[in-house]
Amino acid sequence: MASIGFFALLLGVLVTVHELGHFLVAKACGVKVLKFSFGFGPKLLGFTKGETEYQIALLPLGGFVKMAGDVPGEELDPHEAHRGFLAQPPWKRMLIVLAGPAFNLAFPVLIYFFVFWGPHEAISTRLGYVPQGTPAAAAGLRPGDRIVAVDGDKVRTFEEMADAFVGRFERPVPLTVERDGQQFITNVTPLKYVDSTPFDTVERGRMMVEANSPVPIVGVPPGSVAEQAGLKTFDRILSINGTPVPDEATLYQALARHDGKLEVAVQRLRPVQAGAVTMQVPELVKLQLEEQQGKEGLAALGVEPRDLYVATVLPGTAAAAAGLKSGDRLVSFNGEPLTTFHTLEVKLSGRGKEPFELVWRSQDGEHKEKLAQAPIKQTDEMGNVTETIGLGVRPWYLTRGEVPPAERVTVTLEWNEALKQAAKVVPKIITSTVAAIAGLMTNDVPLSSVGGPIMMYQMAARSSELGWDYFLNLMAVISINLGVVNLLPIPILDGFHLVAAGWESIRRRPIPVRVREVANVIGLAMLVLLMLVAFFNDITR
């Protein structure tokens, strides 16, 4: 019932905002408004105030504002003929029609203002993981460091730090760093990363750091002392000589207290066949291992970080065709040694289908192949299918419960700063929405991504579980979608009425009635077809 309530709230607010735009501007322009309806179909309840009837109808899948004289040939009282919608000059009609979508596009600014305003928690700029061979490691950064400013711009959260590197890459960028209560400045030369989606492309720099301190999950080289002792790739170290090891930082400390023979307890996922399904069952394994003298951390155990080890190879991808398998270790890209999985992602970003040379190591030795990225289709938890260009390999991902929490900080935005942030976010979403609609027309975005009321209900239910910020974000995004779609020049939608009024202002005569009637039939057929596609997609999901 709670999900139904959130769905009704979502739809009710958005429909009311849209129709309120038409209603208020029509009233301001002197047009007589006969009815303000939330929903279509038979009236459930309502009341009349002044000259307008307000009602809630049976089907809450939209709404309408009924204005006097909005249908050609409609008879009006001679004393009120001047208050009819079609009796207004074109510029007034354009304002009234534009008001609905405009309210839908402006309303999210108000939503995001309240989301951003005041205190809220976010991940801090404290570094949890600095892999070797990365730009961050070359700059002398290490776990526990806190980034205070990027190129002089103060940053408070990990997201702000990432955004500060937009357009800053492949050149030294000064960082203000806090370590042990002292601040110093160091230069980092971030790699260029092309953050690409079907709707937008952003070039940003990457230092290759993470906010979370990694769980000690190992990669085991073939023939190593670790393999001879019985360790396997993707084993998770639980303790050393009885000392619990929740993360790599603790691993360093535990090894510093012990040397010589080590008793290592690990958790290993053992595949178990249950009918047609293969399950991963954790089991505890204890091993005896000789510590490698003169080495620290994972190297002291004769193992490597898991980061360059392939955990998953997606079927039907370029990686699968080349013979890459789970447990293989990536070695180099176009002759350059790879240091982390992030490094591979950076090198592949923006490359498209351009071929490259990849070297990897398997149990039977090294392999070298000329590869190219290819389209990969993926389905999210809502059933939406997206297509991206990729190689088809994935690193070992930890579940939410396995990831040690990153340090969080409370950030308080004043009203003016919150309004500024909201005004920045909304145009970006509008641009993405326009690009998505254009992609549907050019077939760059699959028609299967179109959703209807069932999908909206699922999204409302899911966002309500995650909290009010997620729900309000969903409301803002759908409001923008509603505003943009209504501006399309399709008969029945506001965009066509806008075009018709513009036509009349230029040609000095309205579009012929017969042409409007035919256009309305075509427009209705298009909308019905789109709704059928949306319902089909919803049911298929």
Side-chain angles (χ1 to χ4, degrees), residues 4-5 17 79 88 107 130 144 167 223 259 336 347 374 390 417 426 489 509 540:
I4 295 174
V17 166
H79 298 291
Q88 306 305 310
F107 181 55
V130 182
D259 56 17
E336 297 180 13
K347 291 182 179 297
E417 195 173 6
V426 171
R509 62 177 181 271
T540 302

Side-chain angles (χ1 to χ4, degrees), residues 189-368:
T189 304
L191 299 174
K192 179 182 176 181
Y193 180 77
V194 181
D195 198 354
S196 183
T197 69
F199 318 124
D200 194 18
T201 299
V202 177
E203 293 182 345
R204 67 174 78 232
R206 270 198 177 180
M207 296 192 298
M208 320 298 289
V209 295
E210 296 179 15
N212 300 89
S213 180
V215 170
I217 295 177
V218 304
V220 181
S224 64
V225 293
E227 184 184 54
Q228 294 167 16
L231 275 172
K232 294 185 177 181
T233 295
F234 302 133
D235 279 353
R236 175 179 176 176
I237 298 174
L238 298 177
S239 67
I240 293 179
N241 287 354
T243 301
V245 180
D247 55 33
E248 283 195 17
T250 312
L251 175 70
Y252 276 79
Q253 297 167 5
L255 288 172
R257 291 194 295 268
H258 305 285
D259 56 17
K261 250 334 183 193
L262 301 174
E263 183 181 86
V264 182
V266 302
Q267 176 182 283
R268 180 174 298 162
L269 295 179
R270 179 168 55 88
V272 175
Q273 196 73 26
V277 179
T278 301
M279 303 175 62
Q280 299 283 338
V281 178
E283 63 178 359
L284 178 65
V285 178
K286 291 188 177 181
L287 306 164
Q288 296 291 324
L289 190 66
E290 188 75 31
E291 183 175 2
Q292 305 298 297
Q293 296 299 314
K295 296 184 179 180
E296 296 180 326
L298 295 176
L301 300 176
V303 297
E304 300 175 317
R306 73 176 191 280
D307 196 46
L308 281 171
Y309 283 79
V310 176
T312 305
V313 179
L314 300 180
T317 60
L324 275 153
K325 302 181 297 294
S326 177
D328 289 353
R329 185 191 185 278
L330 303 175
V331 176
S332 67
F333 181 95
N334 278 346
E336 297 180 13
L338 290 169
T339 53
T340 68
F341 223 100
H342 287 310
T343 310
L344 176 67
E345 292 173 348
V346 168
K347 291 182 179 297
L348 290 175
S349 69
R351 194 175 187 88
K353 298 180 181 180
E354 182 183 345
F356 57 88
E357 183 184 85
L358 185 69
V359 177
W360 69 94
R361 186 184 69 211
S362 297
Q363 286 291 333
D364 58 353
E366 282 196 354
H367 301 263
K368 182 191 293 186

Side-chain angles (χ1 to χ4, degrees), residues 314-320 344-345 348-354 356 371-378 387-394:
L314 300 180
T317 60
L344 176 67
E345 292 173 348
L348 290 175
S349 69
R351 194 175 187 88
K353 298 180 181 180
E354 182 183 345
F356 57 88
L371 301 174
Q373 297 184 99
I376 301 174
K377 288 187 177 181
Q378 292 179 296
E387 186 176 278
T388 57
I389 296 292
L391 178 59
V393 292
R394 298 288 185 270

Side-chain angles (χ1 to χ4, degrees), residues 19 22-23 26-27 31-38 40 51-55 63-76 83-86 96:
E19 299 304 331
H22 293 312
F23 175 79
K27 286 279 192 181
V31 174
K32 184 176 182 179
V33 180
L34 302 175
K35 185 180 290 186
F36 185 106
S37 176
F38 169 67
F40 295 109
E51 62 187 13
T52 305
E53 178 188 1
Y54 302 86
Q55 73 169 30
F64 64 90
V65 170
K66 170 62 180 172
M67 290 173 275
D70 59 358
V71 177
E74 181 181 346
E75 292 187 8
L76 298 176
R83 298 188 63 199
F85 174 73
L86 293 178
I96 294 169

Side-chain angles (χ1 to χ4, degrees), residues 459-533:
M459 294 173 70
R462 176 63 177 153
S463 63
S464 66
E465 294 172 1
L466 297 173
W468 277 104
D469 281 0
Y470 290 92
F471 180 77
L472 291 174
N473 182 70
L474 174 66
M475 182 180 287
V477 171
I478 294 179
S479 182
I480 290 171
N481 275 266
L482 186 61
V484 172
V485 169
N486 263 282
L487 286 174
L488 295 176
I490 297 174
I492 299 180
L493 296 182
D494 292 330
F496 181 77
H497 295 294
L498 199 62
V499 170
W503 170 280
E504 185 176 339
S505 67
I506 296 171
R507 299 296 300 269
R508 303 298 179 185
R509 62 177 181 271
I511 295 176
V513 175
R514 181 58 182 163
V515 174
R516 292 176 68 99
E517 290 174 347
V518 172
N520 284 337
V521 171
I522 295 173
L524 180 61
M526 292 172 64
L527 291 181
V528 169
L529 181 61
L530 185 61
M531 285 301 295
L532 288 174
V533 170

